[in-house]
Amino acid sequence: MPKQKDLKRLVRSRMKKTGESYTAARAHVTRKKTTRRPASSRAVTGVPVADYAAIAGMTDNAVAAKTGHTWKEWVAALDRAGAVTRTHTAIAKHLRDDHDLPAWWAQMVTVGYERIRGLRQRGQKRSGVWEVSKSRTFAVPVEELFAAWSTAKTRATWLPEKLTVRKATPHRSMRITWPDGTHVELSFLDKGGNSQVSVQHTRVTSKAQADNLKQFWAERLRALKTLLEE
């Protein structure tokens, strides 16, 4: 049985998907958690072992080559360690300390495990909030790309939002508060005559909002590319 905080998160996630009441959704979640399934074909999560890699977002070959274990093996090991009731930080620390994984791979295995166990979806943080990431390369110097973001008059021609720039490091990064209170983090990269911007929109409260923002940023970066390269 998951801890109360994780249980509430799972129940609320099901309520959003199905429209059920809290009581009905909780009954389904707790029943699902305690139902026994054949170990040969399915993990205790009810997810077919064959689907682990797709849900985690990395192939078995890739994770095994770098960590020494497949997703099936990692899920079994972390289940034995009670990881489903532990925080993201605690799971990653366990992987570093007890399995000698480098920090990056400890994070990667933790995220994959949490997705497989239904503790988060792709693009979602363990806390329940969502993040949207987009990047694009432009055939202009990084100074020109940065100016298109930092100069309010130019920015208004392709990004007509009344945003607040909290901090800007010329040609390297920018932190923005969006009109709805969410945050946008920008990273700029000089690519030798070309340049790239990576956009990370954080503190998004729902999957629907995240999906809308993915489309929004794809459109706005296309508009910026047209502006700069024409």
Side-chain angles (χ1 to χ4, degrees):
M1 181 70 65
K3 284 184 177 179
Q4 191 65 18
K5 182 171 63 175
D6 284 333
L7 175 60
K8 287 182 178 179
R9 187 179 302 120
L10 291 172
V11 171
R12 290 184 182 124
S13 176
R14 179 172 176 81
M15 289 171 65
K16 288 181 181 179
K17 292 179 181 178
T18 66
E20 295 173 349
S21 67
Y22 183 91
T23 301
R26 187 182 188 282
H28 178 90
V29 170
T30 54
R31 182 171 63 251
K32 183 177 180 181
K33 289 293 179 182
T34 57
T35 300
R36 293 185 179 274
R37 298 175 183 269
S40 59
S41 62
R42 291 176 180 267
V44 292
T45 57
V47 176
V49 172
D51 293 343
Y52 280 3
I55 296 171
M58 179 176 290
T59 67
D60 265 329
N61 288 341
V63 72
K66 296 297 185 180
T67 69
H69 296 287
T70 64
W71 284 115
K72 178 182 177 180
E73 292 166 338
W74 278 122
V75 168
L78 289 171
D79 281 346
R80 287 193 299 271
V84 74
T85 63
R86 300 168 74 172
T87 66
H88 176 92
T89 301
I91 298 171
K93 185 177 186 301
H94 167 73
L95 290 169
R96 292 195 309 270
D97 295 348
D98 293 13
H99 295 274
D100 296 323
L101 287 189
W104 192 90
W105 281 101
Q107 291 291 332
M108 178 61 67
V109 172
T110 299
V111 170
Y113 174 79
E114 289 170 337
R115 289 174 178 171
I116 291 168
R117 290 296 264 145
L119 300 174
R120 69 157 85 191
Q121 298 181 49
R122 188 168 299 189
Q124 187 182 33
K125 301 284 284 183
R126 182 69 180 268
S127 62
V129 299
W130 297 76
E131 292 185 351
V132 174
S133 298
K134 284 289 182 182
S135 63
R136 188 128 197 184
T137 299
F138 301 83
V140 298
V142 70
E143 293 83 1
E144 189 173 343
L145 175 60
F146 184 84
W149 288 86
S150 61
T151 306
K153 184 176 180 180
T154 303
R155 186 175 64 236
T157 64
W158 66 274
L159 186 63
E161 301 288 337
K162 295 182 179 180
L163 52 84
T164 301
V165 177
R166 303 195 315 275
K167 182 178 179 180
T169 302
H171 317 146
R172 293 182 60 186
S173 64
M174 187 178 294
R175 296 179 182 178
I176 294 170
T177 298
W178 209 241
D180 62 2
T182 55
H183 288 184
V184 179
E185 310 287 336
L186 306 176
S187 297
F188 298 87
L189 179 64
D190 185 348
K191 304 188 74 173
N194 293 338
S195 56
Q196 182 183 74
V197 64
S198 296
V199 180
Q200 188 171 34
H201 202 135
T202 65
R203 303 190 182 187
V204 180
T205 58
S206 70
K207 186 177 186 302
Q209 184 185 11
D211 290 341
N212 289 336
L213 285 170
K214 287 180 184 178
Q215 182 177 352
F216 171 82
W217 282 115
E219 292 172 350
R220 290 304 87 210
L221 291 178
R222 281 197 297 270
L224 177 57
K225 189 175 182 71
T226 299
L227 173 70
L228 292 178
E229 296 184 3
E230 286 186 352

